[in-house]
Amino acid sequence: MAIVINNHHGLKPFPRPKRCKLPSFTQADFARSAKQAASASNFHRSLSTPCLSLASNNVGDAPNTSPRIEIVGGFGASGVRGLVVEVAMAIVSGVHPVLVPSGLGGAYYLSSRNGDNIAVVKPVDEEPLALNNPKGYVGRVLGQPGLKHSVRVGENGVREVAAYLIDHGGFAGVPPTALVKISNVAFNVNHHSTATLPMSKIASIQRFVDHDFDAGDLGMSGFSVSSVHRIGILDIRLLNLDRHAGNILVKKKNKHDSTGGDFVSERYAIGDVELVPIDHGLCLPEQLDDPYFEWLHWPQAAAPFSESEAEYICQLDPLKDAELLRSELPSLRESSIRVLVLCTIFLKRAAAAGLRLAEIGNMMTREHYGTEQSPSLLETLCYKAKVAMNNKLFDNDNDEGADEGNILQFDIDCNQSCGDVVVCPLSQRKPSKVSMLRKVPMKYPSLPSTSALVQELLVSLHEEDDNDHGNYESNCDNDNDNAGDDEDVISSNDQKVAGGLIRSISFYDTKAEHESEGMCFGEMSEEGWVLFLEHFEKLLPKVFEVRKSIRMKQRFGTSCKF
């Protein structure tokens, strides 16, 4: 058995694309059989993820059939090397991986010789919808959108490691996790023609946590405020799309004091259990998406942060975390790393303003109305910041002598030049202020469905726009004059607020057909990204002030109508 531990990570950084817009696929793509997905005509490896190969066969010399495990991601994290050594010793002693029956993907228990589970291994090619998924959920190849449109098939494993790397000091309790290359170990292969050949797989490997239940088996009344807050802080930083009760493990403390009865039926005090978060494959999406936080409506999430929690949040360094992920996980896309930076900044500013975990989570979550959804407040702020960023870049271009009139003439042929300015194709041109305001990520419901919080916050932002962008408002008067077409759907109680909302979100075209995607940051230049963050942070104080005032109104009551 060979154990390879080195500082080269086994991965080579690949060029990061400027645009990270994911392709759209129809429902028929999900129905493709494993045979169709595996055929030579349909299967190809994604050039954008060369480091996550499905399987590699030894070529040339006689194949080496001895088991081999190599760390390729997360090498610098504490506890990783010890875990890999334990797994290697177990495999060389004849232990075989055992498929976990639950879940949609291929996850395997690895145990020691005495039968105790020591690790959970998840090959990337056995993720849900991947080619070698052992449970029939196949139909996609690596690099295509997965269960969540903003997380690609074959890239869950690298996110598992990212969650462990940024959980500094084990604050939330993520078990030690690494990305490894395992060779000549019996995992599932749906290609029968290659099943007998020596094989290597990229997989995430995580320390097994001995637990009693998951959070779905128990009520949340016994969970301490601190344990819920620590997981919630991690989820906000990661923009976790899949934090449900099943991936919060519950460990009972002081097991030796137990009478041996059924723990579910026993009475237990707050603090008797420890929560352990696992399954972070659907975090750090490539674009803003709708997170799912199981804890969002738990009473613990409504409690203020403790001094130690506030201090931990204050000391977070999003730029340092970004460099850590780039160094340890070069296959993680830049767009996902920027989501981490954005969400960490949002968390830090919100906590410093006195907001609570539930309030922060609500501001990041979309509102759903049947089959439609409205953007979260975080997304709304990001779109306003992006508009300001593009306007700033546009103005900078004008200061350098660019002919603004020619840039805004979208109907000029791309090959025509005017002086020193060559007019680029529409897809490459910087959009005008008006065109940027018209670009929205999803289909919006009618205004009365918008929550009071969204309305009040956006109206407050509009008041700032009156001071900062008065000249632009005059250009939008024609659009506001047409707002009366929608007033018949606005109730009399909402007329005043909605009237301001129409102006403050004049870029929300409720009659247009919009994409169901969130904003992606990977397409921004470094200069644009820095400008975007500057404008984003400028919007936060007013938003947080209004959010706190709403909390006070909800607590003490008010005669105001929303």
Side-chain angles (χ1 to χ4, degrees):
M1 175 67 185
I3 307 173
V4 180
I5 300 177
N6 56 44
N7 287 316
H8 300 294
H9 307 291
L11 300 178
K12 295 181 179 180
F14 53 88
R16 303 181 187 276
K18 293 184 178 180
R19 299 190 63 86
C20 57
K21 182 180 177 67
L22 297 175
S24 176
F25 293 88
T26 64
Q27 194 70 18
D29 293 318
F30 284 85
R32 290 191 304 172
S33 64
K35 180 177 180 181
Q36 291 173 324
S39 63
S41 60
N42 292 330
F43 174 72
H44 65 280
R45 290 179 181 172
S46 172
L47 296 179
S48 61
T49 54
C51 55
L52 298 180
S53 58
L54 288 177
S56 59
N57 299 327
N58 295 326
V59 180
D61 299 334
N64 182 4
T65 59
S66 62
R68 179 184 177 90
I69 181 169
E70 176 183 359
I71 301 176
V72 297
F75 175 87
S78 61
V80 166
R81 285 176 288 181
L83 172 62
V84 172
V85 170
E86 287 186 56
V87 169
M89 293 176 63
I91 294 176
V92 77
S93 66
V95 174
H96 297 286
V98 177
L99 182 65
V100 179
S102 60
L104 301 179
Y108 298 84
Y109 290 137
L110 283 174
S111 61
S112 62
R113 294 187 63 181
N114 61 10
D116 294 333
N117 290 326
I118 57 176
V120 178
V121 181
K122 300 178 181 179
V124 301
D125 65 316
E126 298 185 31
E127 294 175 6
L129 304 181
L131 182 63
N132 284 324
N133 183 278
K135 299 174 181 177
Y137 301 101
V138 296
R140 299 278 178 94
V141 296
L142 295 186
Q144 290 183 337
L147 291 178
K148 295 291 184 178
H149 191 270
S150 53
V151 178
R152 302 176 190 245
V153 174
E155 299 186 7
N156 289 12
V158 70
R159 288 169 166 80
E160 295 267 14
V161 183
Y164 176 62
L165 287 173
I166 70 165
D167 184 27
H168 306 300
F171 183 76
V174 179
T177 313
L179 199 65
V180 297
K181 179 180 179 181
I182 302 182
S183 304
N184 305 314
V185 177
F187 292 108
N188 183 69
V189 179
N190 289 331
H191 301 304
H192 301 291
S193 59
T194 61
T196 60
L197 297 178
M199 172 168 291
S200 299
K201 287 197 175 190
I202 300 295
S204 65
I205 183 170
Q206 185 173 85
R207 171 76 67 180
F208 176 81
V209 176
D210 188 18
H211 59 284
D212 300 276
F213 302 97
D214 61 50
D217 297 323
L218 303 172
M220 80 290 292
S221 59
F223 303 156
S224 68
V225 172
S226 176
S227 62
V228 174
H229 280 190
R230 288 169 179 260
I231 292 177
I233 290 170
L234 177 70
D235 288 340
I236 286 174
R237 295 172 64 199
L238 297 173
L239 193 64
N240 197 339
L241 308 183
D242 191 39
R243 174 62 71 210
H244 56 81
N247 54 38
I248 302 178
L249 304 183
V250 180
K251 295 175 58 179
K252 184 179 180 182
K253 297 180 179 179
N254 301 321
K255 289 186 177 182
H256 59 278
D257 295 334
S258 176
T259 60
D262 183 5
F263 182 47
V264 176
S265 62
E266 292 178 5
R267 294 176 60 87
Y268 56 96
I270 295 177
D272 281 351
V273 298
E274 177 184 354
L275 302 183
V276 180
I278 60 170
D279 293 345
H280 297 99
L282 294 179
C283 68
L284 294 178
E286 293 184 37
Q287 56 200 30
L288 289 184
D289 208 330
D290 188 26
Y292 179 77
F293 302 138
E294 179 74 23
W295 43 260
L296 190 59
H297 301 292
W298 291 0
Q300 294 91 334
F305 291 118
S306 66
E307 291 185 7
S308 61
E309 293 162 356
E311 179 64 21
Y312 176 85
I313 295 173
C314 181
Q315 293 180 354
L316 292 174
D317 188 339
L319 300 182
K320 186 176 179 180
D321 288 341
E323 289 303 319
L324 173 65
L325 295 184
R326 293 187 187 105
S327 173
E328 293 285 342
L329 300 171
S331 59
L332 185 61
R333 300 172 188 271
E334 182 65 21
S335 52
S336 296
I337 294 176
R338 288 181 174 182
V339 167
L340 170 68
V341 173
L342 176 81
C343 293
T344 303
I345 291 175
F346 187 70
L347 170 65
K348 287 171 65 69
R349 300 294 181 265
L355 267 65
R356 302 175 182 182
L357 181 64
E359 294 172 324
I360 302 171
N362 271 311
M363 295 173 74
M364 302 175 72
T365 306
R366 296 173 184 170
E367 294 191 32
H368 295 261
Y369 310 90
T371 59
E372 295 182 350
Q373 55 186 345
S374 64
S376 66
L377 283 169
L378 175 62
E379 289 176 299
T380 301
L381 292 173
C382 287
Y383 276 95
K384 291 181 70 69
K386 189 173 183 180
V387 169
M389 174 204 73
N390 279 280
N391 290 344
K392 180 66 175 179
L393 293 175
F394 181 84
D395 292 338
N396 288 343
D397 288 343
N398 288 340
D399 293 340
E400 293 173 0
D403 188 344
E404 179 180 1
N406 289 330
I407 294 178
L408 292 179
Q409 294 297 320
F410 287 165
D411 56 343
I412 298 179
D413 185 82
C414 64
N415 293 324
Q416 180 179 352
S417 61
C418 299
D420 295 332
V421 178
V422 177
V423 181
C424 300
L426 179 61
S427 61
Q428 299 177 5
R429 271 182 228 133
K430 289 184 173 62
S432 66
K433 298 179 182 180
V434 175
S435 66
M436 272 305 305
L437 290 174
R438 290 297 180 188
K439 185 177 181 181
V440 290
M442 62 193 70
K443 187 172 183 178
Y444 292 85
S446 58
L447 291 177
S449 299
T450 308
S451 68
L453 174 60
V454 175
Q455 291 180 0
E456 186 159 351
L457 287 176
L458 291 177
V459 169
S460 68
L461 291 177
H462 167 65
E463 294 173 355
E464 290 187 349
D465 291 341
D466 285 340
N467 298 327
D468 298 336
H469 305 290
N471 293 334
Y472 169 70
E473 290 293 342
S474 62
N475 296 330
C476 297
D477 286 340
N478 292 335
D479 293 335
N480 295 330
D481 292 340
N482 296 329
D485 296 339
D486 294 328
E487 290 182 354
D488 57 330
V489 297
I490 303 177
S491 63
S492 58
N493 292 335
D494 294 326
Q495 285 281 355
K496 185 174 182 180
V497 174
L501 180 63
I502 292 175
R503 295 189 65 203
S504 66
I505 57 171
S506 58
F507 52 97
Y508 290 1
D509 186 357
T510 60
K511 296 181 179 180
E513 292 296 327
H514 307 303
E515 300 176 359
S516 59
E517 310 177 357
M519 179 185 295
C520 179
F521 305 106
E523 63 187 30
M524 294 183 185
S525 65
E526 191 63 31
E527 178 188 5
W529 172 241
V530 172
L531 280 174
F532 169 83
L533 291 180
E534 290 178 359
H535 290 291
F536 176 74
E537 292 194 65
K538 289 179 181 178
L539 294 172
L540 297 181
K542 181 65 175 180
V543 171
F544 295 154
E545 179 184 342
V546 174
R547 184 61 185 88
K548 290 173 65 177
S549 68
I550 291 177
R551 183 209 305 164
M552 298 302 295
K553 292 177 183 178
Q554 293 172 340
R555 180 178 179 181
F556 297 109
T558 177
S559 60
C560 298
K561 295 181 179 180
F562 295 91

